[in-house]
Amino acid sequence: MRILADLPLLDGWLPIAVQIVAGVALLGLVRWRKPVRSIALLVVASVCAMAVTGVVYAILESHDLSPETGPLAFWVWLFLTVMTVAMFGLTVAAASWTRRAVVAIAGLLTVLCVALTANQWAGFYPDVGRAWSAVIGQSPPNETSLSALRTLRGSPQPDGRTVAIDVPHRISGFEHRTEYVYLPPAWFTGAHPPPLPAIALFGGVINTPLDWAVSGEAITTDRRYAAAHNGFAPILVFVDPSGSFTDDTECVDGPHGNVDTRITREVRPYVVRVFGARPDARGWAAAGWSMGGTCAVDLAVEHPSQFATFLDISGDVGPNLGDHQQTVDRLYGGRGDLWSRFDPRTAIRRHGSYLDSAGWFDDEGHVAGPHRLASSQIAATNALSSVSRAHGIATIVTARPGRHCWPFAAEGFRRAFPWLAHRLLPGSDRAGSALLR
């Protein structure tokens, strides 16, 4: 069973084999006994498929999900899926039960191919085991209840514990999903928990609060660090920045919800109060990927008294839902003052000099010459890093070959973690401090 769970979904033979089988099943549906009628059906089904595929593309584009970056295989299988469904709908009345069964099987295989190629696009689930855990809603690793924590006090917890939390939202009014906190082994030592630092983690536009725990392997990274440092590591806070699977809030206050208020006035104080996390800004970092990277920068420059450190993996130059005017209209309900409040470069210039802030920018890209970087995110990074340094925020800028997907985010978090730990944990190893410039 373990062998099946470990089968890779982002590369390897399994995704290829499934697509080959689906292709053979589709070829088996082709019947040319009545060429004119068959061609007519193909034309009608193709038109339907083109229309639906175009609508999906437009929806993704309207949510700023960069449909043009999707792999060709995803769009091909989406087209073939709709085409198969359309052909079945047009012929079901006259089809035999055997043919209906074959069409149903072929349709299911094409849907599976859409899911596989979509997963390869986003990199959510690297293997069968993780995908199955998401399907059945499996609990995060080593989960315990908030009420049971007191019974674990003083007993060794070498892998730490994950706790589901329900933070009241009376101030923000933001309807959120279940969020989680990971407590490292050191939290359970002694009569009272030590004042550990915390990292607030934010995912991309399409997200669940546990994405960083599962797809981003954040708990694994934190646990490994703790194992090498007498159980000490930061608390991880898996925040819900969207309230739903697809709402692009960019972590700001606006028509999509008062997310900034929720994070700074509800979630952070709750973690300090309930889990004894350090209350000072140097004890907190904001980290994220894609939309979450934008969130991390914005929180740190808007609220330096709460977050002195940020990690931005493949984020944008600022919260956006298109160009400037589209962003003002879609994200802020037409309010230009809200755009000015949450635009990080504007916020940095408005704040002035920062005393103890630092950030790490990590992007997919490559070195294009001496000290020159090139990728779709690098322009944003250079702009943010330049204005940050000019106002006293120490920054690190790195770029690696890779795609805009969760494995890239997970590797970025692993690479930056020693630096984060040095910023957050006094006396930790000083790896990464020399990179600041």
Side-chain angles (χ1 to χ4, degrees):
M1 196 64 183
R2 189 68 228 171
I3 295 176
L4 179 62
D6 289 338
L7 286 176
L9 292 178
L10 301 181
D11 49 29
W13 63 268
L14 182 60
I16 296 173
V18 172
Q19 292 178 70
I20 290 174
V21 172
V24 171
L26 288 176
L27 287 175
L29 295 179
V30 178
R31 297 175 64 182
W32 299 103
R33 295 179 184 175
K34 299 177 180 178
V36 175
R37 185 169 182 269
S38 296
I39 292 173
L41 284 173
L42 284 173
V43 170
V44 173
S46 296
V47 170
C48 293
M50 289 172 56
V52 172
T53 302
V55 169
V56 172
Y57 190 99
I59 291 173
L60 294 177
E61 191 172 43
S62 70
H63 284 80
D64 200 31
L65 295 178
S66 303
E68 71 280 359
T69 65
L72 177 61
F74 169 78
W75 297 107
V76 169
W77 283 113
L78 177 62
F79 180 89
L80 291 174
T81 298
V82 178
M83 191 173 177
T84 303
V85 172
M87 290 188 68
F88 178 71
L90 293 169
T91 61
V92 64
S96 66
W97 284 106
T98 301
R99 185 165 178 78
R100 292 178 187 178
V102 172
V103 173
I105 293 171
L108 289 174
L109 285 171
T110 59
V111 170
L112 180 58
C113 289
V114 171
L116 284 170
T117 53
N119 183 62
Q120 289 177 320
W121 182 5
F124 268 96
Y125 308 112
D127 54 50
V128 172
R130 299 223 181 139
W132 181 246
S133 295
V135 170
I136 64 176
Q138 187 172 329
S139 299
N142 296 312
E143 184 178 14
T144 189
S145 66
L146 196 59
S147 60
L149 278 180
R150 67 182 64 183
T151 66
L152 302 176
R153 165 72 42 213
S155 63
Q157 302 294 324
D159 292 326
R161 290 283 186 160
T162 307
V163 184
I165 59 173
D166 184 12
V167 182
H169 54 279
R170 288 186 292 271
I171 301 173
S172 68
F174 184 72
E175 295 291 341
H176 60 88
R177 295 166 291 181
T178 300
E179 295 165 313
Y180 297 86
V181 168
Y182 169 73
L183 303 169
W187 191 89
F188 298 90
T189 61
H192 303 283
L196 295 173
I199 302 175
L201 289 147
F202 308 91
V205 175
I206 298 177
N207 73 80
T208 69
L210 276 178
D211 287 341
W212 263 110
V214 179
S215 302
E217 301 181 353
I219 290 178
T220 299
T221 298
D222 200 85
R223 186 186 295 158
R224 287 174 179 170
Y225 185 89
H229 293 83
N230 299 316
F232 281 86
I235 294 169
L236 302 181
V237 186
F238 301 106
V239 183
D240 177 15
S242 301
S244 67
F245 191 59
T246 58
D247 192 12
D248 189 352
T249 69
E250 300 287 314
C251 297
V252 302
D253 287 352
H256 293 261
N258 297 320
V259 183
D260 179 88
T261 296
R262 170 166 167 71
I263 295 166
T264 58
R265 299 183 61 187
E266 293 173 344
V267 175
R268 188 185 185 279
Y270 178 93
V271 174
V272 171
R273 182 177 71 256
V274 174
F275 300 103
R278 285 173 51 186
D280 58 300
R282 190 58 185 263
W284 277 79
W289 167 70
S290 193
M291 179 195 78
T294 308
C295 294
V297 174
D298 222 24
L299 284 165
V301 302
E302 272 278 312
H303 307 282
S305 63
Q306 297 192 35
F307 298 92
T309 306
F310 66 84
L311 170 61
D312 172 7
I313 304 174
S314 301
D316 288 328
V317 72
N320 74 89
L321 289 182
D323 60 29
H324 174 76
Q325 191 56 52
Q326 289 172 330
T327 297
V328 172
D329 293 339
R330 298 173 183 174
L331 189 60
Y332 300 114
R335 291 183 56 184
D337 61 314
L338 286 180
W339 181 90
S340 298
R341 173 186 166 189
F342 291 106
D343 175 65
R345 288 176 294 178
T346 303
I348 290 170
R349 295 186 182 104
R350 181 175 60 244
H351 179 274
S353 181
Y354 290 75
L355 298 178
D356 190 27
S357 294
W360 181 310
F361 296 94
D362 186 35
D363 295 294
E364 59 262 22
H366 62 277
V367 177
H371 310 297
R372 294 181 61 190
L373 300 170
S375 86
S376 59
Q377 264 82 40
I378 290 299
T381 290
N382 285 340
L384 285 172
S385 180
S386 177
V387 71
S388 294
R389 293 182 183 186
H391 291 80
I393 302 175
T395 63
I396 298 169
V397 176
T398 59
R400 300 173 283 124
R403 297 188 300 108
H404 196 73
C405 61
W406 270 110
F408 185 89
E411 176 62 21
F413 189 69
R414 282 193 293 270
R415 287 163 54 92
F417 198 85
W419 173 80
L420 285 170
H422 165 65
R423 289 277 304 173
L424 297 170
L425 285 162
S428 65
D429 58 14
R430 304 184 67 83
S433 60
L435 292 174
L436 282 171
R437 55 187 186 276

